[in-house]
Amino acid sequence: MQKPSGYDEAQTIGQLTPVELGGHYAVIKQVSERKTEKGKDMIVVLFDFCSPDKQTGYFKSQFENDDREDKKWPFAGSKYIMINDFNDPTKTSKAFKTFCTCAEKSNGMSIVWNGNGWGKQFTGKKIGVVFGEEEHKYNGKISMRHNPKWFCVYDKVGEQDIPRPKYLNGSSPSTAPAKTDDGFMDIPDDSTDEEIPF
């Protein structure tokens, strides 16, 4: 076999360092207004980590190393936010108000409300973003992902706690026994019929 093209540059599975959980210093790359599949208004915020964050440029690096023809900004570097409250469409959603307020306080700005190009006023602005774990199911496989949970004021990043993990069934992991505070998993005792995940 000849050495495949791009072999030396290719990453191995698991080589990518995951996003650290908790607060991150970020810069907004783009805010776009969109519609959900059901026609509801939302915004999509693309961001990247910036100095003094430990993982500065994390998503830009992933994007630049993506060799697919139709490469997209990494999913974990984006946040989809409904504009109206899910239960009461006559009210603004908490997530949208939080994003707007955090952007204003982080940059000493006042949002300009207009019909055209509304999202452009956020490009290059700083903001804080908090990451937590979420359980996902894709192609029948369940895994934990590090996803953006909410935005915060840039100067308050260091005060953010790590959010509790979010599981598909609402309260407990579907994939494996829970980890203890020392980082090890609780393994069932010999009297159970549960299968150990290794």
Side-chain angles (χ1 to χ4, degrees):
M1 173 189 284
Q2 296 292 323
K3 192 176 195 178
S5 166
Y7 178 85
D8 293 328
E9 296 77 27
Q11 291 185 341
T12 60
I13 295 173
Q15 183 177 350
L16 184 67
T17 303
V19 173
E20 291 184 13
L21 300 176
H24 285 269
Y25 297 95
V27 61
I28 299 168
K29 295 294 189 178
Q30 177 182 308
V31 175
S32 55
E33 296 177 68
R34 303 246 184 99
K35 296 271 189 192
T36 67
E37 289 180 2
K38 295 186 177 182
K40 298 188 179 208
D41 294 324
M42 71 174 176
I43 60 169
V44 181
V45 181
L46 305 184
F47 60 87
D48 199 1
F49 303 142
C50 65
S51 182
D53 200 87
K54 288 190 242 175
Q55 294 184 296
T56 296
Y58 183 89
F59 297 112
K60 181 182 179 188
S61 176
Q62 280 187 11
F63 180 75
E64 289 175 346
N65 290 322
D66 186 348
D67 56 4
R68 295 174 296 180
E69 252 182 66
D70 61 338
K71 64 182 180 179
K72 296 179 174 82
W73 194 254
F75 181 75
S78 57
K79 183 77 175 151
Y80 292 70
I81 302 172
M82 299 295 296
I83 293 174
N84 297 109
D85 185 84
F86 182 78
N87 295 316
D88 185 352
T90 65
K91 294 182 178 177
T92 300
S93 77
K94 290 178 184 177
F96 181 74
K97 182 67 181 280
T98 298
F99 167 73
C100 292
T101 302
C102 291
E104 287 180 315
K105 289 184 177 180
S106 296
N107 297 284
M109 66 182 276
S110 292
I111 292 174
V112 177
W113 298 97
N114 60 31
N116 297 321
W118 179 84
K120 290 180 182 176
Q121 66 189 308
F122 299 101
T123 303
K125 299 292 193 284
K126 57 190 179 180
I127 199 164
V129 61
V130 180
F131 271 72
E133 285 186 303
E134 278 189 43
E135 196 172 48
H136 286 268
K137 187 172 187 177
Y138 182 71
N139 283 342
K141 294 183 180 178
I142 296 174
S143 63
M144 292 299 284
R145 291 187 188 168
H146 293 192
N147 286 342
K149 302 297 282 177
W150 62 78
F151 290 103
C152 67
V153 176
Y154 187 84
D155 293 339
K156 304 289 185 187
V157 165
E159 300 172 18
Q160 302 302 308
D161 292 326
I162 295 173
R164 289 184 178 177
K166 181 179 176 185
Y167 300 107
L168 290 172
N169 67 9
S171 62
S172 62
S174 304
T175 52
K179 291 181 182 176
T180 61
D181 289 339
D182 60 7
F184 291 95
M185 289 187 198
D186 286 332
I187 302 299
D189 65 291
D190 293 338
S191 63
T192 68
D193 292 331
E194 292 184 55
E195 188 175 320
I196 297 175
F198 50 82

